[in-house]
Coordinates of all heavy atoms in Angstrom, one line a residue:
M1 N 1.5 -2.1 -2.7 CA 1.7 -1.9 -1.3 C 3.2 -1.8 -1.1 O 4.0 -2.6 -1.7 CB 1.2 -3.1 -0.5 CG 1.4 -2.9 0.9 SD 0.5 -4.2 1.9 CE -1.1 -3.5 2.0
S2 N 3.7 -0.9 -0.3 CA 5.1 -0.8 -0.1 C 5.5 -1.3 1.3 O 4.7 -1.4 2.2 CB 5.5 0.7 -0.1 OG 4.9 1.4 0.9
D3 N 6.8 -1.7 1.4 CA 7.3 -2.2 2.7 C 7.9 -1.0 3.4 O 8.0 0.1 2.9 CB 8.3 -3.3 2.5 CG 9.6 -2.9 1.8 OD1 9.8 -1.7 1.6 OD2 10.4 -3.8 1.5
A4 N 8.2 -1.2 4.7 CA 8.7 -0.1 5.5 C 10.0 0.5 5.0 O 10.1 1.7 4.9 CB 8.9 -0.6 6.9
A5 N 10.9 -0.4 4.5 CA 12.2 0.1 4.0 C 12.0 0.9 2.7 O 12.7 1.8 2.3 CB 13.2 -1.0 3.8
G6 N 11.0 0.4 1.9 CA 10.8 1.1 0.6 C 10.0 2.4 0.7 O 9.9 3.1 -0.2
G7 N 9.3 2.6 1.8 CA 8.5 3.8 2.0 C 7.5 3.9 0.9 O 6.9 3.0 0.5
A8 N 7.3 5.2 0.5 CA 6.3 5.5 -0.5 C 6.7 5.1 -1.9 O 5.9 5.2 -2.8 CB 6.0 7.0 -0.4
T9 N 7.9 4.7 -2.1 CA 8.3 4.3 -3.5 C 7.8 3.0 -4.0 O 7.7 2.8 -5.2 CB 9.9 4.2 -3.6 OG1 10.3 3.1 -2.8 CG2 10.6 5.5 -3.1
G10 N 7.4 2.1 -3.1 CA 6.9 0.8 -3.5 C 8.0 -0.1 -3.9 O 7.7 -1.2 -4.4
V11 N 9.2 0.2 -3.9 CA 10.3 -0.6 -4.3 C 10.9 -1.3 -3.0 O 11.3 -0.7 -2.1 CB 11.5 0.2 -4.9 CG1 12.6 -0.7 -5.4 CG2 10.9 1.0 -6.1
S12 N 10.8 -2.6 -3.1 CA 11.3 -3.4 -1.9 C 12.8 -3.3 -1.7 O 13.6 -3.2 -2.6 CB 10.9 -4.9 -2.2 OG 11.5 -5.7 -1.2
A13 N 13.2 -3.4 -0.4 CA 14.6 -3.4 -0.1 C 15.3 -4.7 -0.6 O 16.5 -4.7 -0.7 CB 14.7 -3.3 1.5
D14 N 14.5 -5.7 -0.9 CA 15.0 -6.9 -1.5 C 15.2 -6.9 -3.0 O 15.6 -7.9 -3.6 CB 14.2 -8.1 -1.1 CG 14.2 -8.4 0.4 OD1 15.3 -8.1 1.1 OD2 13.2 -8.9 1.0
A15 N 14.7 -5.8 -3.6 CA 14.8 -5.7 -5.1 C 16.2 -5.7 -5.5 O 17.1 -5.1 -4.8 CB 14.0 -4.5 -5.5
R16 N 16.5 -6.2 -6.7 CA 17.8 -6.3 -7.3 C 17.9 -5.5 -8.6 O 17.6 -6.0 -9.6 CB 18.2 -7.7 -7.5 CG 18.3 -8.5 -6.2 CD 18.7 -10.0 -6.5 NE 18.5 -10.8 -5.3 CZ 19.4 -10.9 -4.4 NH1 20.6 -10.2 -4.5 NH2 19.2 -11.6 -3.3
P17 N 18.2 -4.2 -8.5 CA 18.2 -3.3 -9.7 C 19.4 -3.6 -10.5 O 20.5 -3.9 -10.0 CB 18.2 -1.9 -9.1 CG 18.8 -2.0 -7.8 CD 18.4 -3.4 -7.2
A18 N 19.3 -3.4 -11.8 CA 20.4 -3.5 -12.8 C 20.2 -2.5 -13.9 O 19.1 -2.2 -14.2 CB 20.4 -5.0 -13.3
I19 N 21.3 -2.2 -14.5 CA 21.2 -1.3 -15.7 C 20.8 -2.3 -16.9 O 21.5 -3.3 -17.1 CB 22.6 -0.7 -16.0 CG1 22.9 0.3 -14.8 CG2 22.6 0.1 -17.3 CD1 24.3 0.8 -14.8
P20 N 19.8 -1.9 -17.6 CA 19.3 -2.8 -18.7 C 20.3 -2.9 -19.8 O 21.1 -2.0 -20.0 CB 18.0 -2.1 -19.2 CG 17.7 -1.1 -18.1 CD 18.9 -0.7 -17.4
R21 N 20.1 -4.0 -20.6 CA 20.9 -4.2 -21.8 C 20.7 -3.0 -22.7 O 19.5 -2.5 -22.8 CB 20.5 -5.5 -22.5 CG 21.1 -5.6 -23.8 CD 20.8 -7.0 -24.4 NE 21.8 -7.9 -23.7 CZ 21.9 -9.2 -23.9 NH1 21.0 -9.8 -24.6 NH2 22.8 -9.9 -23.3
G22 N 21.7 -2.5 -23.4 CA 21.6 -1.4 -24.3 C 21.9 0.0 -23.6 O 22.1 1.0 -24.3
L23 N 22.1 0.0 -22.3 CA 22.5 1.2 -21.6 C 23.8 0.9 -21.0 O 24.2 -0.2 -20.7 CB 21.5 1.5 -20.5 CG 20.2 2.3 -20.9 CD1 19.3 1.5 -21.8 CD2 19.5 2.7 -19.6
K24 N 24.6 2.0 -20.8 CA 26.0 1.8 -20.3 C 26.3 3.0 -19.4 O 26.2 4.1 -19.8 CB 27.0 1.8 -21.5 CG 28.4 1.6 -21.1 CD 29.3 1.5 -22.3 CE 30.8 1.3 -21.8 NZ 31.7 1.3 -23.0
L25 N 26.9 2.6 -18.2 CA 27.3 3.6 -17.3 C 28.8 3.8 -17.5 O 29.6 2.8 -17.5 CB 27.0 3.2 -15.9 CG 27.5 4.1 -14.7 CD1 26.8 5.4 -14.7 CD2 27.4 3.4 -13.4
Q26 N 29.3 5.0 -17.7 CA 30.7 5.2 -17.8 C 31.2 6.6 -17.4 O 30.3 7.5 -17.3 CB 31.2 5.0 -19.3 CG 30.8 6.0 -20.3 CD 31.3 5.7 -21.7 OE1 31.4 4.5 -22.1 NE2 31.6 6.7 -22.4
W27 N 32.5 6.7 -17.0 CA 33.0 8.0 -16.6 C 33.4 8.8 -17.9 O 34.0 8.2 -18.8 CB 34.3 7.7 -15.8 CG 35.0 9.0 -15.4 CD1 36.1 9.5 -16.0 CD2 34.6 10.0 -14.5 NE1 36.5 10.7 -15.4 CE2 35.5 11.0 -14.5 CE3 33.5 10.1 -13.6 CZ2 35.5 12.1 -13.7 CZ3 33.4 11.2 -12.8 CH2 34.4 12.2 -12.9
E28 N 33.0 10.0 -17.9 CA 33.4 10.9 -19.0 C 34.3 12.0 -18.5 O 33.8 12.9 -17.8 CB 32.1 11.5 -19.7 CG 31.3 10.6 -20.5 CD 32.1 10.2 -21.8 OE1 32.9 11.0 -22.3 OE2 31.8 9.1 -22.3
A29 N 35.6 11.9 -18.7 CA 36.5 12.9 -18.2 C 36.2 14.3 -18.7 O 36.3 15.3 -17.9 CB 37.9 12.5 -18.6
A30 N 35.8 14.4 -19.9 CA 35.5 15.7 -20.5 C 34.3 16.4 -19.7 O 34.3 17.7 -19.6 CB 35.1 15.6 -22.0
Q31 N 33.4 15.6 -19.2 CA 32.3 16.2 -18.4 C 32.6 16.1 -16.9 O 31.7 16.6 -16.1 CB 31.0 15.5 -18.8 CG 30.6 15.7 -20.2 CD 29.4 15.0 -20.6 OE1 28.5 14.9 -19.7 NE2 29.2 14.6 -21.8
D32 N 33.7 15.5 -16.5 CA 34.0 15.3 -15.1 C 32.8 14.7 -14.3 O 32.5 15.1 -13.3 CB 34.4 16.6 -14.5 CG 35.1 16.4 -13.1 OD1 35.8 15.4 -12.9 OD2 35.0 17.3 -12.3
A33 N 32.2 13.7 -15.0 CA 31.0 13.1 -14.4 C 30.8 11.7 -15.0 O 31.3 11.4 -16.1 CB 29.8 13.9 -14.6
H34 N 30.0 10.9 -14.3 CA 29.5 9.6 -14.8 C 28.3 9.9 -15.7 O 27.6 10.8 -15.4 CB 29.1 8.6 -13.7 CG 30.2 7.9 -13.1 ND1 30.9 8.4 -12.0 CD2 30.9 6.8 -13.5 CE1 31.9 7.5 -11.7 NE2 31.9 6.6 -12.6
V35 N 28.2 9.2 -16.8 CA 27.1 9.4 -17.7 C 26.4 8.0 -17.9 O 27.1 7.0 -17.9 CB 27.4 10.1 -19.0 CG1 28.0 11.5 -18.8 CG2 28.4 9.2 -19.8
L36 N 25.2 8.1 -18.2 CA 24.4 6.9 -18.6 C 24.1 7.0 -20.0 O 23.4 8.0 -20.4 CB 23.1 6.7 -17.7 CG 22.3 5.4 -18.0 CD1 23.1 4.2 -17.6 CD2 21.0 5.5 -17.2
L37 N 24.7 6.2 -20.8 CA 24.5 6.2 -22.3 C 23.4 5.3 -22.7 O 23.3 4.2 -22.2 CB 25.8 5.8 -23.0 CG 27.1 6.6 -22.7 CD1 28.3 6.0 -23.3 CD2 26.9 8.1 -23.1
F38 N 22.6 5.8 -23.6 CA 21.5 5.0 -24.2 C 21.3 5.4 -25.7 O 21.9 6.4 -26.1 CB 20.2 5.1 -23.4 CG 19.8 6.5 -23.1 CD1 18.9 7.2 -23.9 CD2 20.3 7.1 -21.9 CE1 18.5 8.4 -23.6 CE2 19.9 8.4 -21.6 CZ 19.0 9.1 -22.4
P39 N 20.6 4.6 -26.5 CA 20.6 4.9 -27.9 C 20.1 6.3 -28.3 O 20.6 6.9 -29.2 CB 19.6 3.8 -28.4 CG 19.7 2.7 -27.5 CD 20.0 3.3 -26.1
E40 N 19.2 6.9 -27.5 CA 18.7 8.2 -27.8 C 19.6 9.3 -27.3 O 19.3 10.5 -27.5 CB 17.3 8.4 -27.2 CG 16.3 7.4 -27.7 CD 16.3 6.1 -27.0 OE1 16.8 6.0 -25.9 OE2 15.9 5.1 -27.7
G41 N 20.6 9.0 -26.5 CA 21.5 10.1 -25.9 C 22.2 9.7 -24.7 O 22.6 8.5 -24.5
E42 N 22.3 10.6 -23.8 CA 23.0 10.3 -22.5 C 22.4 11.2 -21.4 O 21.8 12.2 -21.6 CB 24.5 10.6 -22.6 CG 24.8 12.0 -22.8 CD 26.3 12.2 -22.9 OE1 27.0 11.4 -23.5 OE2 26.8 13.2 -22.3
V43 N 22.6 10.7 -20.2 CA 22.2 11.5 -19.0 C 23.5 11.7 -18.1 O 24.2 10.7 -17.9 CB 21.2 10.7 -18.1 CG1 20.9 11.4 -16.8 CG2 19.9 10.5 -18.9
V44 N 23.8 12.9 -17.8 CA 24.9 13.2 -16.9 C 24.4 13.0 -15.5 O 23.4 13.6 -15.1 CB 25.4 14.6 -17.1 CG1 26.6 14.9 -16.2 CG2 25.9 14.8 -18.6
L45 N 25.1 12.1 -14.7 CA 24.6 11.8 -13.4 C 25.4 12.7 -12.3 O 26.6 12.9 -12.5 CB 24.9 10.3 -13.1 CG 24.1 9.4 -14.0 CD1 24.6 7.9 -13.7 CD2 22.6 9.5 -13.8
N46 N 24.7 13.1 -11.3 CA 25.5 13.7 -10.2 C 26.2 12.6 -9.4 O 26.0 11.4 -9.6 CB 24.5 14.6 -9.3 CG 23.5 13.8 -8.6 OD1 23.7 12.6 -8.3 ND2 22.4 14.5 -8.2
G47 N 27.0 13.0 -8.4 CA 27.8 12.0 -7.7 C 26.9 11.0 -6.9 O 27.3 9.8 -6.9
S48 N 25.8 11.4 -6.3 CA 25.0 10.5 -5.6 C 24.3 9.5 -6.5 O 24.3 8.3 -6.2 CB 23.9 11.2 -4.9 OG 24.4 12.1 -3.9
A49 N 23.8 9.9 -7.6 CA 23.2 9.0 -8.6 C 24.2 8.0 -9.1 O 24.0 6.8 -9.3 CB 22.6 9.8 -9.8
A50 N 25.5 8.5 -9.4 CA 26.5 7.6 -9.9 C 26.9 6.6 -8.9 O 27.1 5.4 -9.2 CB 27.7 8.4 -10.3
E51 N 26.9 6.9 -7.6 CA 27.2 6.0 -6.5 C 26.2 4.9 -6.5 O 26.6 3.7 -6.3 CB 27.3 6.7 -5.1 CG 28.5 7.6 -4.9 CD 29.7 6.8 -4.6 OE1 29.7 5.6 -4.2 OE2 30.8 7.3 -4.9
I52 N 25.0 5.2 -6.6 CA 23.9 4.2 -6.6 C 23.9 3.4 -7.9 O 24.0 2.1 -7.8 CB 22.5 4.9 -6.5 CG1 22.4 5.6 -5.1 CG2 21.4 3.9 -6.6 CD1 21.3 6.6 -5.0
M53 N 24.0 4.0 -9.0 CA 24.0 3.3 -10.3 C 25.1 2.3 -10.5 O 25.0 1.2 -11.0 CB 24.0 4.3 -11.5 CG 22.7 5.1 -11.6 SD 21.3 4.2 -12.3 CE 21.7 3.9 -14.0
S54 N 26.3 2.7 -10.0 CA 27.5 1.9 -10.1 C 27.3 0.6 -9.3 O 28.1 -0.4 -9.6 CB 28.7 2.6 -9.7 OG 28.7 2.9 -8.3
R55 N 26.4 0.5 -8.4 CA 26.2 -0.7 -7.6 C 25.0 -1.5 -8.0 O 24.8 -2.6 -7.5 CB 26.0 -0.3 -6.1 CG 27.3 0.3 -5.5 CD 27.0 0.9 -4.1 NE 28.2 1.3 -3.4 CZ 29.0 2.3 -3.6 NH1 28.6 3.2 -4.5 NH2 30.1 2.5 -2.8
C56 N 24.3 -1.0 -9.0 CA 23.1 -1.7 -9.5 C 23.5 -2.8 -10.5 O 23.5 -2.5 -11.8 CB 22.1 -0.7 -10.1 SG 21.4 0.4 -8.9
D57 N 23.9 -3.9 -10.0 CA 24.4 -5.0 -10.9 C 23.5 -6.2 -11.0 O 23.9 -7.2 -11.7 CB 25.8 -5.5 -10.3 CG 25.7 -5.9 -8.9 OD1 24.6 -6.1 -8.3 OD2 26.7 -6.1 -8.2
G58 N 22.3 -6.1 -10.5 CA 21.3 -7.2 -10.6 C 21.6 -8.3 -9.6 O 20.8 -9.2 -9.5
V59 N 22.7 -8.2 -8.8 CA 23.0 -9.1 -7.8 C 22.7 -8.6 -6.4 O 22.1 -9.2 -5.6 CB 24.5 -9.6 -7.9 CG1 24.9 -10.5 -6.8 CG2 24.8 -10.2 -9.3
R60 N 23.2 -7.4 -6.2 CA 23.0 -6.7 -4.9 C 21.5 -6.2 -4.7 O 21.0 -5.7 -5.7 CB 23.9 -5.6 -4.7 CG 25.4 -6.0 -4.5 CD 26.2 -4.8 -4.3 NE 26.9 -4.4 -5.5 CZ 28.0 -3.7 -5.6 NH1 28.6 -3.3 -4.6 NH2 28.5 -3.5 -6.8
T61 N 21.0 -6.4 -3.5 CA 19.7 -5.8 -3.2 C 19.8 -4.3 -2.9 O 20.9 -3.8 -2.6 CB 19.1 -6.5 -2.0 OG1 19.9 -6.2 -0.9 CG2 18.9 -8.0 -2.2
I62 N 18.7 -3.6 -2.9 CA 18.7 -2.2 -2.5 C 19.3 -2.1 -1.1 O 20.1 -1.2 -0.8 CB 17.4 -1.6 -2.7 CG1 17.0 -1.5 -4.2 CG2 17.4 -0.2 -2.1 CD1 15.6 -1.0 -4.5
A63 N 18.9 -3.0 -0.2 CA 19.4 -2.9 1.2 C 20.9 -3.1 1.2 O 21.6 -2.3 2.0 CB 18.7 -4.0 2.0
E64 N 21.4 -3.9 0.4 CA 22.9 -4.1 0.3 C 23.6 -2.9 -0.3 O 24.7 -2.5 0.1 CB 23.3 -5.4 -0.5 CG 22.9 -6.6 0.2 CD 22.9 -7.9 -0.7 OE1 22.8 -7.8 -1.9 OE2 23.1 -9.0 -0.1
I65 N 23.0 -2.3 -1.3 CA 23.5 -1.1 -1.9 C 23.5 0.1 -0.9 O 24.5 0.8 -0.7 CB 22.7 -0.7 -3.1 CG1 22.9 -1.7 -4.3 CG2 23.0 0.7 -3.6 CD1 21.9 -1.6 -5.4
V66 N 22.4 0.2 -0.1 CA 22.4 1.2 0.9 C 23.5 1.0 1.9 O 24.3 1.9 2.3 CB 21.0 1.2 1.6 CG1 21.1 2.1 2.9 CG2 19.9 1.8 0.7
A67 N 23.6 -0.2 2.4 CA 24.7 -0.6 3.4 C 26.1 -0.3 2.9 O 26.9 0.2 3.6 CB 24.5 -2.0 3.8
D68 N 26.3 -0.6 1.6 CA 27.6 -0.4 1.1 C 28.0 1.1 1.0 O 29.1 1.5 1.3 CB 27.7 -1.1 -0.3 CG 29.1 -1.0 -0.9 OD1 30.1 -1.2 -0.1 OD2 29.3 -0.8 -2.1
I69 N 27.0 1.9 0.5 CA 27.2 3.3 0.4 C 27.4 3.9 1.8 O 28.4 4.7 2.0 CB 26.1 4.0 -0.4 CG1 26.1 3.6 -1.8 CG2 26.2 5.5 -0.3 CD1 24.8 4.0 -2.6
E70 N 26.6 3.5 2.7 CA 26.7 4.1 4.1 C 28.1 3.7 4.7 O 28.8 4.5 5.3 CB 25.6 3.6 5.0 CG 24.3 4.2 4.6 CD 23.1 3.8 5.5 OE1 23.2 2.7 6.2 OE2 22.1 4.5 5.6
R71 N 28.5 2.5 4.5 CA 29.8 2.0 5.0 C 31.0 2.7 4.3 O 31.9 3.2 4.9 CB 30.0 0.5 4.8 CG 31.2 -0.1 5.4 CD 31.2 -1.7 5.2 NE 30.8 -2.2 3.9 CZ 29.6 -2.7 3.7 NH1 28.7 -2.9 4.6 NH2 29.3 -3.1 2.5
T72 N 30.9 2.8 3.0 CA 32.0 3.5 2.2 C 32.2 4.9 2.5 O 33.3 5.4 2.6 CB 31.7 3.3 0.7 OG1 31.6 1.9 0.4 CG2 32.8 3.9 -0.2
H73 N 31.1 5.6 2.7 CA 31.1 7.1 2.9 C 30.8 7.5 4.4 O 30.6 8.7 4.6 CB 30.2 7.8 2.0 CG 30.6 7.6 0.5 ND1 31.6 8.2 0.0 CD2 30.1 6.7 -0.4 CE1 31.8 7.8 -1.3 NE2 30.8 6.9 -1.5
S74 N 30.8 6.6 5.3 CA 30.5 6.9 6.7 C 29.2 7.7 6.9 O 29.2 8.7 7.5 CB 31.7 7.6 7.4 OG 32.9 6.8 7.3
L75 N 28.2 7.2 6.2 CA 26.9 7.9 6.3 C 25.9 7.0 7.0 O 26.1 5.8 7.2 CB 26.4 8.1 4.8 CG 27.2 9.0 3.9 CD1 26.7 9.0 2.5 CD2 27.1 10.4 4.5
S76 N 24.7 7.5 7.3 CA 23.6 6.7 7.8 C 22.3 7.4 7.4 O 22.3 8.6 7.1 CB 23.7 6.6 9.3 OG 23.6 7.8 9.9
G77 N 21.3 6.6 7.4 CA 19.9 7.2 7.1 C 19.7 7.6 5.6 O 18.9 8.5 5.4
I78 N 20.4 6.9 4.7 CA 20.2 7.3 3.3 C 19.2 6.3 2.5 O 19.0 6.5 1.3 CB 21.5 7.3 2.5 CG1 22.1 5.9 2.4 CG2 22.5 8.3 3.1 CD1 23.2 5.8 1.4
A79 N 18.6 5.4 3.2 CA 17.7 4.4 2.5 C 16.6 5.0 1.7 O 16.4 4.7 0.6 CB 17.2 3.4 3.6
A80 N 16.0 6.0 2.3 CA 14.8 6.7 1.6 C 15.3 7.3 0.3 O 14.6 7.3 -0.7 CB 14.1 7.7 2.5
D81 N 16.5 8.0 0.4 CA 17.0 8.6 -0.8 C 17.4 7.6 -1.9 O 17.1 7.8 -3.1 CB 18.3 9.5 -0.5 CG 17.9 10.6 0.4 OD1 16.8 11.2 0.3 OD2 18.8 11.0 1.2
V82 N 18.0 6.5 -1.5 CA 18.3 5.5 -2.5 C 17.1 4.9 -3.1 O 17.0 4.7 -4.3 CB 19.2 4.4 -1.8 CG1 19.4 3.2 -2.8 CG2 20.6 5.0 -1.4
H83 N 16.1 4.6 -2.2 CA 14.8 4.0 -2.7 C 14.2 5.0 -3.7 O 13.6 4.6 -4.8 CB 13.9 3.7 -1.6 CG 14.1 2.4 -0.9 ND1 13.6 1.2 -1.4 CD2 14.9 2.1 0.1 CE1 14.0 0.2 -0.6 NE2 14.8 0.7 0.3
G84 N 14.2 6.3 -3.4 CA 13.6 7.3 -4.2 C 14.3 7.4 -5.6 O 13.6 7.5 -6.6
F85 N 15.6 7.3 -5.6 CA 16.3 7.4 -6.8 C 16.1 6.1 -7.7 O 15.9 6.2 -8.9 CB 17.9 7.6 -6.6 CG 18.6 7.5 -7.9 CD1 18.6 8.6 -8.8 CD2 19.2 6.4 -8.4 CE1 19.2 8.6 -10.0 CE2 19.8 6.3 -9.6 CZ 19.8 7.4 -10.4
V86 N 16.1 5.0 -7.0 CA 15.8 3.7 -7.8 C 14.4 3.8 -8.4 O 14.2 3.4 -9.5 CB 16.0 2.5 -6.9 CG1 15.5 1.2 -7.5 CG2 17.5 2.3 -6.5
A87 N 13.4 4.3 -7.6 CA 12.1 4.4 -8.2 C 12.1 5.3 -9.4 O 11.4 5.0 -10.4 CB 11.1 4.9 -7.1
L88 N 12.7 6.5 -9.3 CA 12.8 7.4 -10.4 C 13.5 6.7 -11.6 O 13.0 6.8 -12.7 CB 13.6 8.6 -10.0 CG 14.0 9.6 -11.1 CD1 12.8 10.6 -11.3 CD2 15.2 10.3 -10.8
A89 N 14.6 6.1 -11.4 CA 15.4 5.4 -12.5 C 14.6 4.3 -13.1 O 14.6 4.1 -14.3 CB 16.7 4.9 -11.9
L90 N 13.8 3.6 -12.3 CA 12.9 2.5 -12.9 C 11.9 3.2 -13.8 O 11.6 2.7 -14.9 CB 12.2 1.7 -11.8 CG 13.1 0.8 -11.0 CD1 12.4 0.3 -9.7 CD2 13.5 -0.4 -11.9
G91 N 11.3 4.3 -13.3 CA 10.3 5.0 -14.1 C 10.8 5.5 -15.4 O 10.1 5.5 -16.4
K92 N 12.1 5.9 -15.5 CA 12.7 6.4 -16.7 C 13.4 5.3 -17.5 O 14.0 5.5 -18.5 CB 13.8 7.5 -16.3 CG 13.2 8.7 -15.7 CD 14.2 9.8 -15.5 CE 13.6 11.1 -15.0 NZ 13.0 11.8 -16.0
R93 N 13.3 4.1 -17.0 CA 13.9 2.9 -17.6 C 15.4 2.9 -17.7 O 16.0 2.3 -18.6 CB 13.3 2.6 -19.0 CG 11.8 2.4 -18.9 CD 11.2 2.1 -20.2 NE 9.7 2.0 -20.0 CZ 8.9 1.2 -20.7 NH1 9.4 0.5 -21.6 NH2 7.7 1.2 -20.4
W94 N 16.0 3.6 -16.7 CA 17.4 3.6 -16.6 C 17.9 2.3 -15.8 O 19.0 1.9 -15.9 CB 17.9 4.8 -15.8 CG 17.7 6.1 -16.4 CD1 17.3 6.4 -17.7 CD2 17.8 7.4 -15.8 NE1 17.1 7.7 -17.9 CE2 17.4 8.4 -16.7 CE3 18.1 7.8 -14.5 CZ2 17.4 9.7 -16.4 CZ3 18.1 9.1 -14.2 CH2 17.7 10.1 -15.1
L95 N 16.9 1.7 -15.0 CA 17.2 0.5 -14.3 C 16.0 -0.4 -14.5 O 14.9 0.0 -14.9 CB 17.2 0.8 -12.8 CG 18.4 1.6 -12.3 CD1 18.3 1.9 -10.8 CD2 19.7 0.8 -12.5
E96 N 16.3 -1.7 -14.3 CA 15.3 -2.8 -14.3 C 15.5 -3.6 -13.1 O 16.6 -3.6 -12.5 CB 15.3 -3.6 -15.6 CG 16.6 -4.4 -15.7 CD 16.7 -5.1 -17.1 OE1 15.9 -4.8 -18.0 OE2 17.6 -5.9 -17.2
L97 N 14.5 -4.4 -12.7 CA 14.7 -5.3 -11.5 C 14.9 -6.7 -12.0 O 14.2 -7.2 -12.9 CB 13.4 -5.2 -10.6 CG 13.1 -3.8 -10.0 CD1 11.9 -3.9 -9.1 CD2 14.3 -3.3 -9.2
K98 N 15.9 -7.3 -11.4 CA 16.2 -8.7 -11.7 C 15.5 -9.6 -10.7 O 15.3 -9.3 -9.6 CB 17.7 -9.0 -11.7 CG 18.5 -8.2 -12.7 CD 18.2 -8.7 -14.1 CE 19.0 -8.0 -15.1 NZ 18.8 -8.5 -16.5
P99 N 15.2 -10.8 -11.1 CA 14.5 -11.8 -10.2 C 15.5 -12.3 -9.2 O 16.6 -12.2 -9.3 CB 14.1 -12.9 -11.1 CG 14.7 -12.7 -12.4 CD 15.3 -11.4 -12.5

């Protein structure tokens, strides 16, 4: 069952996503992009994905991540997009949820 903020993703706004051990987010100047490194390779992230992933520290909730991005970039109404990306990243095991 999903909450209103999580929409169809089923990821609660109170969830605390984090990059799992063994994966590393870093800037690659040669690619002019953030990449997520893992033992099997890497994923080149677009700007939006990097903004979200860089805030996934296992401490901040998704609601706090949304608020921070909206405040930093003078945006509003991005909660569904953030929830959707987090759900996708959880499915690909790029993120995990901390208690």
Side-chain angles (χ1 to χ4, degrees):
M1 181 173 277
S2 62
D3 66 9
T9 67
V11 181
S12 169
D14 293 331
R16 298 179 187 278
I19 297 171
R21 173 173 278 179
L23 278 66
K24 181 179 179 184
L25 177 68
Q26 71 180 34
W27 174 255
E28 286 291 332
Q31 296 182 31
D32 194 29
H34 280 92
V35 297
L36 184 63
L37 302 172
F38 49 94
E40 298 83 24
E42 68 181 38
V43 174
V44 178
L45 301 172
N46 67 23
S48 299
E51 286 287 335
I52 297 166
M53 292 286 288
S54 69
R55 291 167 170 83
C56 292
D57 55 12
V59 175
R60 289 182 263 201
T61 65
I62 294 176
E64 291 167 333
I65 292 168
V66 168
D68 187 40
I69 294 170
E70 288 182 338
R71 183 176 46 255
T72 300
H73 297 286
S74 299
L75 297 170
S76 63
I78 66 164
D81 292 330
V82 173
H83 279 270
F85 176 78
V86 169
L88 171 86
L90 287 167
K92 293 184 177 285
R93 298 183 185 211
W94 298 345
L95 290 174
E96 64 185 10
L97 298 180
K98 295 293 184 178

